[in-house]
Amino acid sequence: LIHGFAGTPTSDFTALIPQLCTHYSVLAPHLHGYGHSSHRSHYSITYYREDAADLVALLDALHLSQVLVLGFSDGAIIALLLAALYPTRVAALAILGAQASINAHDVAGIRHWLLDTPLSQEWQTQLAQLHGDPYWRALSQMYVQVQEELVAMGGILITDEELAGIGCPTLVMHGTRDRIVPVEYARILHERIPRSQLVLFD
């Protein structure tokens, strides 16, 4: 299970983990910078790929040759990179809320969500519990900055060639009213990934 930005496995997959544990051995790591993992001082423009490499190192350390992968949001982008760059390690893939590129309009939405609009007190409390205070407050600033840098570099997170190279069974899921990642990105992924399935939720 690969969580999203500012999340952890327990915050993003609370309802799923108990159900999955009845059928599978579940590996739910805290990505670099979140939860119990080491703090970040910045995000590099290659951080998605670095996170994918970190997960492969974890699989190696646990002697797991191949896994089923479920990724949410940023975790879904990392999951796509796992399947594209390390194809023998991913038996099947399910992603929710992913995108293969980012543009200035997307970043404006992210900036509005994280920086321009005050976060709810409930979410501030949760972020402090998950990541520590005051560290969690720096995450949003660093995240918006790297997304702006990614756009300046062309906005490509995963190339069309990499998507076309994903050979495992792939389920692409997305909410049709997602306010941060437009649903068009899911349709693009479905078109680019061979034999993928697309499921849209209202």
Side-chain angles (χ1 to χ4, degrees):
L1 305 182
I2 311 177
H3 65 80
F5 165 73
T8 66
T10 49
S11 70
D12 284 357
F13 302 112
T14 300
L16 282 178
I17 289 175
Q19 297 181 56
L20 292 173
C21 283
T22 65
H23 300 285
Y24 303 98
S25 297
V26 176
L27 179 61
H30 294 226
L31 296 172
H32 179 199
Y34 305 109
H36 299 309
S37 190
S38 56
H39 288 183
R40 285 185 177 274
S41 58
H42 70 289
Y43 290 88
S44 76
I45 59 170
T46 57
Y47 83 94
Y48 288 116
R49 293 166 188 266
E50 292 165 5
D51 284 349
D54 284 348
L55 292 178
V56 170
L58 177 60
L59 296 180
D60 288 343
L62 296 174
H63 306 292
L64 296 173
S65 60
Q66 196 174 59
V67 289
L68 303 166
V69 177
L70 171 62
F72 168 65
S73 192
D74 262 24
I77 297 170
I78 297 163
L80 285 167
L81 286 166
L82 266 178
L85 303 178
Y86 309 93
T88 63
R89 310 308 291 269
V90 181
L93 177 65
I95 55 171
L96 173 61
Q99 60 196 108
S101 62
I102 189 168
N103 60 36
H105 183 267
D106 300 331
V107 174
I110 293 170
R111 172 175 282 279
H112 179 75
W113 170 47
L114 293 176
L115 300 183
D116 297 342
T117 306
L119 304 181
S120 70
Q121 189 58 54
E122 181 182 2
W123 198 30
Q124 290 188 48
T125 300
Q126 183 187 42
L127 290 172
Q129 291 171 344
L130 293 175
H131 312 297
D133 196 2
Y135 168 70
W136 73 266
R137 300 174 187 276
L139 277 173
S140 295
Q141 291 280 357
M142 291 189 292
Y143 186 76
V144 171
Q145 180 179 342
V146 75
Q147 299 301 322
E148 291 173 340
E149 290 171 357
L150 284 165
V151 170
M153 295 289 290
I156 303 299
L157 308 178
I158 311 168
T159 68
D160 287 349
E161 292 76 15
E162 287 169 337
L163 291 173
I166 295 176
C168 65
T170 301
L171 175 63
V172 178
M173 298 175 283
H174 213 98
T176 58
R177 293 181 289 174
D178 192 317
R179 293 174 296 172
I180 304 301
V181 182
V183 68
E184 287 74 20
Y185 283 118
R187 297 190 175 100
I188 291 169
L189 290 172
H190 174 50
E191 291 171 1
R192 302 286 192 273
I193 300 171
R195 297 174 299 282
S196 61
Q197 285 184 270
L198 177 64
V199 175
L200 302 180
F201 304 98
D202 186 20

